Amino acid sequence: MAIRASSRAVRLVLLVLPSVITLAALSATAAVALSLQTSSIRSATADRVQTVASSLADLHEVRVTLESVTGAGTPGDLADADDLAQATATLQPIAELVGEAAGVYYVVVTDDEGVRITHPLVSQRGVQVSTTNASVLAGNRFLGTETGSSGSSLRAKVPVRSDDGEVVGMVAVGVLEADIAAQSNAALTHLLPWVVGALIVGTLASSFLTATVERRFRVLDGLSAEHEQMRRTSAALREQSHEFHTRLHVVHGLVSRGDPQEALDYIENVVTVEEPRADGVSRPGSAALRDAAVHAVRAELLDLGAQVEFDLHPDVPFDDGVVTVVTNLCRNAGEAGAVRVRCTLTSQGGRVSGRVDDDGPGIDDRAATRIFARGFSTKADSAGWGRGIGLDLVRRVVTSRDGTIEVGASPLGGTRFTFEMAVAG
């Protein structure tokens, strides 16, 4: 049951796996593509604001105008919009033109104290920049995201130098982070149809693959069922062959001791021919069947190079079930390599008890719990007819008669099988 459940789980995983892989691959691809697109937009924006800021800082009109207002204010007394009105009139048109052409949100030019000369908002002209300006006015460039009067933006700041290299102001160019996010969303909108299309194609492909795998599974299920039926049929035939072999030995024993009619009666009994005999001859007696079984077991074990001793109580009712148990246990001992085998049978209170001892190599403790399982054997199958049948048959005969069978060590040095079961009704 556990193996079947595991097989079903593996099958379900194999069927679902193509769809899971497709969805995972598409999701990962879309995420990577969006990330690369966003990174590309941001990188391009950064390059643009730096280029615009650098170009303006190098522009002759910007440098000359800023040089003209260097004395308009001091760190202690900053210039205001009126002080910078002439410079604003000169540079604001340039800033607006460049900003529109470059697609940036603002272009700000300040004096050497960081007071804005140009700005998209009139109210911000003549007001000192509140963000990073000291390091830029000291001659360093800046690129990063800051939050100023216009909101959060990606901005570049470049110092403006006079002809003699003195910093006379700075140019700040920025693009709002909201605009960058809008461009990323627009890129996602353009990418989404391709993702959906790929998802549809991938789903159809995975569905086709799943259907193909499912058809393969169905074919394999059919082959497995056919194989299982053949296995069961083969096992039944091996068991019948094993029992037939045992019964042939019994018939041989009856014929050998000069009881042909008893042999015929036994044959009719084991093949369940139940019609009453017209001549009134009875079924084979327990004594005759016992003697035939003893003869058959001795002959078979002699062929295997073993001697068998019987200690049989005269009241033991011999029938086909008792013969099956005794014959198979003795044969198992001989095939295991025993030289001496002893079989003891007693009967009391409607039950048969028995022991089969041998001087063979014994049974490993690890195998003791498995020897009665069908197909299990410690001996090689040299004949090719299958092993692990006899002891399984013994177990089933004993348990069908409300009995038990145990295995342990024998005083003879090998293995002892002890069993007891009800007398056949």
Side-chain angles (χ1 to χ4, degrees):
M1 185 63 71
I3 294 177
R4 290 182 178 178
S6 176
S7 177
R8 285 195 296 269
V10 171
R11 177 171 174 171
L12 179 61
V13 169
L14 290 177
L15 290 175
V16 174
L17 191 59
S19 297
V20 173
I21 292 176
T22 299
L23 291 174
L26 286 174
S27 299
T29 301
V32 170
L34 180 60
S35 176
L36 291 175
Q37 187 72 8
T38 301
S39 177
S40 176
I41 291 173
R42 194 169 191 83
S43 177
T45 301
D47 290 341
R48 187 164 75 252
V49 295
Q50 287 188 99
T51 300
V52 172
S54 297
S55 298
L56 277 175
D58 291 337
L59 194 65
H60 177 71
E61 289 83 350
V62 173
R63 287 186 296 135
V64 169
T65 301
L66 290 180
E67 286 177 10
S68 68
V69 296
T70 54
T74 64
D77 182 17
L78 298 176
D80 57 20
D82 292 336
D83 297 330
L84 301 174
Q86 184 61 43
T88 300
T90 302
L91 298 180
Q92 185 65 40
I94 298 175
E96 292 177 355
L97 179 63
V98 171
E100 183 177 354
V104 297
Y105 178 70
Y106 66 80
V107 174
V108 172
V109 179
T110 75
D111 66 6
D112 55 345
E113 274 83 37
V115 178
R116 297 184 185 96
I117 298 175
T118 67
H119 194 279
L121 301 177
V122 176
S123 61
Q124 295 299 316
R125 298 169 190 169
V127 178
Q128 189 179 40
V129 175
S130 59
T131 55
T132 303
N133 55 24
S135 62
V136 179
L137 293 174
N140 300 311
R141 291 172 174 262
F142 172 82
L143 175 66
T145 298
E146 291 182 329
T147 301
S149 59
S150 302
S152 180
S153 62
L154 175 63
R155 58 188 66 179
K157 297 180 180 180
V158 177
V160 180
R161 298 179 182 274
S162 62
D163 292 337
D164 58 5
E166 181 183 357
V167 176
V168 293
M170 71 175 174
V171 176
V173 179
V175 175
L176 293 177
E177 289 287 350
D179 291 340
I180 298 175
Q183 292 182 59
S184 298
N185 291 335
L188 175 61
T189 302
H190 287 92
L191 181 64
L192 190 59
W194 293 97
V195 173
V196 173
L199 180 62
I200 293 173
V201 172
T203 301
L204 292 175
S206 64
S207 299
F208 174 77
L209 179 60
T210 299
T212 302
V213 173
E214 176 63 20
R215 285 196 296 270
R216 295 287 186 183
F217 275 134
R218 289 175 182 173
V219 172
L220 290 175
D221 286 343
L223 292 175
S224 178
E226 183 178 345
H227 174 74
E228 178 63 17
Q229 183 60 40
M230 291 179 63
R231 188 192 65 78
R232 291 177 180 175
T233 301
S234 177
L237 290 174
R238 284 200 303 270
E239 182 176 312
Q240 291 175 9
S241 174
H242 195 275
E243 269 300 278
F244 184 68
H245 178 74
T246 298
R247 284 165 176 162
L248 276 181
H249 275 280
V250 174
V251 172
H252 179 272
L254 289 169
V255 173
S256 298
R257 62 191 297 273
D259 290 322
Q261 187 58 54
E262 297 283 3
L264 291 174
D265 289 340
Y266 175 74
I267 292 172
E268 290 181 1
N269 185 54
V270 296
V271 296
T272 65
V273 179
E274 299 296 342
E275 295 83 355
R277 295 178 59 90
D279 56 7
V281 176
S282 63
R283 300 293 181 187
S286 178
L289 187 57
R290 178 195 62 201
D291 294 342
V294 168
H295 176 82
V297 171
R298 280 179 174 157
E300 188 170 1
L301 263 65
L302 280 174
D303 289 340
L304 295 172
Q307 297 282 342
V308 60
E309 307 167 11
F310 286 98
D311 182 6
L312 310 178
H313 194 277
D315 293 337
V316 174
F318 257 76
D319 55 36
D320 193 48
V322 174
V323 172
T324 296
V325 172
V326 170
T327 302
N328 279 286
L329 289 179
C330 291
R331 179 189 299 127
N332 182 76
E335 290 179 344
V339 176
R340 182 184 175 191
V341 180
R342 179 190 299 157
C343 176
T344 303
L345 286 179
T346 60
S347 177
Q348 185 177 5
R351 299 188 72 81
V352 177
S353 301
R355 298 191 307 272
V356 175
D357 293 281
D358 66 62
D359 62 351
I363 296 176
D364 189 279
D365 291 340
R366 293 172 295 181
T369 59
R370 296 183 291 155
I371 58 173
F372 294 106
R374 173 177 287 275
F376 178 81
S377 178
T378 59
K379 301 178 286 291
D381 183 17
S382 58
W385 290 96
R387 285 288 190 181
I389 298 174
L391 291 181
D392 172 65
L393 189 59
V394 167
R395 175 189 57 80
R396 288 193 285 125
V397 170
V398 171
T399 55
S400 69
R401 294 192 179 185
D402 192 28
T404 59
I405 184 167
E406 299 177 352
V407 61
S410 169
L412 299 182
T415 304
R416 165 176 282 184
F417 285 93
T418 304
F419 65 91
E420 62 91 19
M421 60 185 181
V423 174

